[in-house]
Amino acid sequence: MRKVITYGTYDLLHYGHINLLQRAKELGDYLIVGITSEDFDRNRGKINVKQSLMERIEAVRALGIADEIIVEEYEGQKIDDIRRYNVSVFTVGSDWIGKFDYLREYCEVTYLDRTEGISSSDIRSENRKINIGLIGDDEYLIKFYRESQYVNGLKVVSLYKELADETKSEFKGVEYITNDYEEMLQHVDAVYIHSYPERHYELIKGALLAKKHVLCEAPLVIQAEQINEIESLAIQNNCILMTALRTAFSTAYMRLLLLLKSGVIGNIKSVEATCTSLKRKEFLDGGNLEGQWNSICEWGPTAMLPVFHILGIDYKQKIISSNLLKDHPRFDLFTKIDFLYTDAVASIKIGQGVKSEGHLIISGTKGYIYVPAPWWKTDYFEVRFENAEDSRRYFYQLDGEGIRYLLVAFCKAVESGKDPGYISNEISNEIVKVVNDFYLKKDLYEI
Ligand code: CTP
């Protein structure tokens, strides 16, 4: 029997796929179709797949062309499959020409002409067109703009700011660059905000009143009473209001949380997270601090994220120890916050005028998890035990510092009208509350 094998994602099955499968079947007597798993796609940078693995399998099965369907889960699996199933022909569409020539050592390799004018990416873009406007700091907006180009159906159409000519060239294709916020809001369905934290409230409120979805860096606001107001406004106006803490969307971080839930290190007794950056020279030499983020806003939300995700928000007590600038008491060179829970403790160390090892350590009664620096954009962590031989290492691909995944999640939320809950409202609110206490000097001790 002449067995043929072919692979693909088969998202939102279309006639290009059907054409390919029919011709693949004609190359032999028995057709095996390998359908990519979600993890495999994510690892190879295909982040927008709309249907689940089961839905994609069902759609291909329902065509009745495949004799057997398998799941493609890892790099290098094709060679294993060809040997295991005794395959005579490997085939894929002509978009892959040359890429699989290395399989000629194991079987025939045939590239079939791709059907012109259709692809899953096109269908995804048509289904979901979200026009977004960007507000804020150039450095972040440039990154954000670049990453947005990997996300189907999201288009940056507007920027709210005056741009220097050299920065403008970074935003080729953005139609409306304006310093009138109201005008910007008329052109967009959603906004991304990375402004000065004290301005977030009015920007978020303006967008929600105009019924625009909002993706905003944390802290969303710095006054505790403002958070409930904007959350209610988002609900009233059927808008998504999402915190843009990219770490929460990285695969390694999400897997780490799941692993902890499975009890792999026993009962958790301590979470320690450190985030520092010595970027802000102004902090140390007394330069202009206008428009700068202080350490609690820059790093506090990221460092608090694993604490609240892992131990929850019901701590009994907190102590904020802060080294404040003498002439600018709202600016902290360094801040350490200790959280006391009934049965555990947590501690975050953050700073822009101090340097330390940026790791995350979660200690439990059976072992601990170690995430090396910089843990907030990690693709790797280790679960360690007393007996070093039992330790396990975990690696997950991270593209674009997680911004891409954050954008995909935001698009899905806008499309479905439901926040995916990577960062719950309770956690967002607690982060704002702690930042607010810093400003109010509540539970704060100056060092
Ligand atoms: N294919 C094809 N003609 C098309 C689209 C896909 O022949 N117009 C083939 C691909 O070459 C591949 C198989 O169908 O052999 C599965 O492709 P897949 O990557 O799942 O589909 P695409 O539509 O190319 O998806 P995407 O846009 O996400 O890359």
Side-chain angles (χ1 to χ4, degrees):
M1 190 194 319
R2 199 170 144 83
K3 285 189 178 176
V4 181
I5 198 161
T6 189
Y7 295 86
T9 307
Y10 299 98
D11 188 29
L12 307 171
L13 199 75
H14 54 70
Y15 62 85
H17 294 141
I18 301 172
N19 270 343
L20 182 115
L21 293 173
Q22 280 166 340
R23 283 174 298 148
K25 174 96 175 201
E26 284 163 14
L27 295 173
D29 318 301
Y30 188 88
L31 177 65
I32 305 173
V33 180
I35 302 187
T36 50
S37 71
E38 275 130 18
D39 269 0
F40 184 69
D41 270 330
R42 217 166 138 110
N43 273 341
R44 63 190 187 125
K46 202 162 184 170
I47 52 171
N48 288 299
V49 177
K50 189 126 198 299
Q51 292 183 298
S52 69
L53 174 63
M54 286 319 287
E55 286 170 320
R56 290 179 286 123
I57 290 176
E58 277 317 311
V60 171
R61 193 193 308 284
L63 292 174
I65 304 172
D67 295 290
E68 189 169 347
I69 294 178
I70 60 172
V71 177
E72 185 180 23
E73 288 175 289
Y74 58 90
E75 195 79 44
Q77 183 181 327
K78 292 184 179 75
I79 297 177
D80 272 355
D81 290 341
I82 290 167
R83 285 186 176 142
R84 181 176 320 137
Y85 297 103
N86 202 11
V87 166
S88 309
V89 188
F90 168 90
T91 188
V92 277
S94 51
D95 42 326
W96 295 100
I97 276 183
K99 290 261 169 53
F100 295 106
D101 287 357
Y102 69 92
L103 295 174
R104 289 194 200 280
E105 205 182 317
Y106 308 94
C107 66
E108 282 173 37
V109 173
T110 304
Y111 299 103
L112 293 168
D113 284 343
R114 193 179 155 91
T115 307
E116 291 298 318
I118 179 108
S119 75
S120 304
S121 307
D122 291 345
I123 304 175
R124 287 191 292 257
S125 303
E126 276 162 27
N127 284 356
R128 198 174 59 193
K129 270 203 192 94
I130 300 167
N131 289 333
I132 193 163
L134 313 184
I135 302 142
D137 183 317
D138 289 4
E139 187 195 330
Y140 286 91
L141 297 195
I142 292 170
K143 248 191 220 173
F144 188 98
Y145 181 57
R146 283 194 198 134
E147 288 301 311
S148 71
Q149 290 163 12
Y150 291 92
V151 181
N152 289 151
L154 181 73
K155 189 165 188 300
V156 175
V157 295
S158 186
L159 277 174
Y160 166 52
K161 66 188 349 262
E162 284 175 29
L163 284 180
D165 281 347
E166 62 272 21
T167 317
K168 255 186 195 156
S169 63
E170 297 281 349
F171 294 101
K172 280 196 193 91
V174 177
E175 290 160 65
Y176 311 102
I177 299 181
T178 171
N179 52 10
D180 180 340
Y181 191 46
E182 295 300 316
E183 187 196 327
M184 175 201 214
L185 290 174
Q186 287 170 20
H187 297 293
V188 300
D189 309 306
V191 292
Y192 164 72
I193 303 171
H194 189 298
S195 177
Y196 190 61
E198 275 153 7
R199 292 204 56 212
H200 283 174
Y201 170 69
E202 57 172 289
L203 291 166
I204 294 175
K205 196 169 165 184
L208 291 175
L209 284 170
K211 297 195 171 12
K212 309 298 173 184
H213 306 284
V214 175
L215 178 62
C216 181
E217 291 292 333
L220 288 182
V221 290
I222 54 172
Q223 286 179 33
E225 60 274 15
Q226 292 170 342
I227 187 87
N228 294 331
E229 184 192 338
I230 57 167
E231 276 170 4
S232 311
L233 195 57
I235 294 170
Q236 262 170 37
N237 287 355
N238 283 327
C239 290
I240 296 293
L241 169 63
M242 210 160 121
T243 303
L245 268 176
R246 63 198 70 167
T247 303
F249 300 83
S250 87
T251 314
Y253 181 79
M254 288 193 286
R255 293 297 153 86
L256 181 151
L257 295 182
L258 291 176
L259 208 60
L260 286 172
K261 285 210 170 26
S262 75
V264 66
I265 59 166
N267 294 331
I268 297 160
K269 294 292 170 191
S270 157
V271 178
E272 295 163 65
T274 306
C275 306
T276 64
S277 52
L278 265 184
K279 292 198 287 210
R280 309 273 193 242
K281 222 171 120 289
E282 300 85 346
F283 268 53
L284 297 173
D285 60 17
N288 183 11
L289 292 172
E290 192 61 35
Q292 300 283 4
W293 286 53
N294 56 10
S295 302
I296 186 80
C297 288
E298 177 83 25
W299 282 122
T302 302
M304 280 184 252
L305 197 65
V307 173
F308 295 151
H309 264 144
I310 296 167
L311 297 177
I313 57 166
D314 292 327
Y315 52 86
K316 302 290 158 219
Q317 199 189 332
K318 74 172 178 307
I319 300 164
I320 308 177
S321 317
S322 220
N323 187 190
L324 304 174
L325 280 182
K326 245 198 231 97
D327 301 332
H328 302 274
R330 290 166 89 79
F331 282 86
D332 49 336
L333 284 176
F334 171 74
T335 291
K336 179 171 188 284
I337 309 181
D338 294 298
F339 297 94
L340 268 67
Y341 290 78
T342 314
D343 202 21
V345 290
S347 162
I348 66 166
K349 281 193 277 181
I350 51 180
Q352 298 184 105
V354 152
K355 194 67 201 157
S356 187
E357 179 74 9
H359 58 206
L360 168 67
I361 299 175
I362 304 143
S363 313
T365 48
K366 291 186 190 157
Y368 69 99
I369 290 190
Y370 171 71
V371 192
W375 71 263
W376 54 92
K377 46 180 168 186
T378 193
D379 50 10
Y380 172 77
F381 62 86
E382 290 179 31
V383 182
R384 295 178 176 173
F385 298 98
E386 184 72 27
N387 179 0
E389 281 175 15
D390 296 336
S391 296
R392 292 279 174 275
R393 297 184 169 87
Y394 295 82
F395 180 86
Y396 302 94
Q397 183 70 27
L398 178 77
D399 293 308
E401 294 180 21
I403 300 174
R404 249 172 250 186
Y405 313 130
L406 164 72
L407 294 181
V408 171
F410 181 63
C411 288
K412 282 191 180 152
V414 169
E415 203 187 25
S416 66
K418 221 175 96 211
D419 190 315
Y422 291 90
I423 305 170
S424 65
N425 277 2
E426 288 73 35
I427 290 182
S428 274
N429 296 2
E430 195 56 41
I431 288 173
V432 169
K433 198 169 154 275
V434 175
V435 172
N436 194 24
D437 286 348
F438 167 90
Y439 281 99
L440 298 172
K441 298 202 171 178
K442 183 166 173 264
D443 303 329
L444 186 142
Y445 299 88
E446 284 190 48
I447 55 167

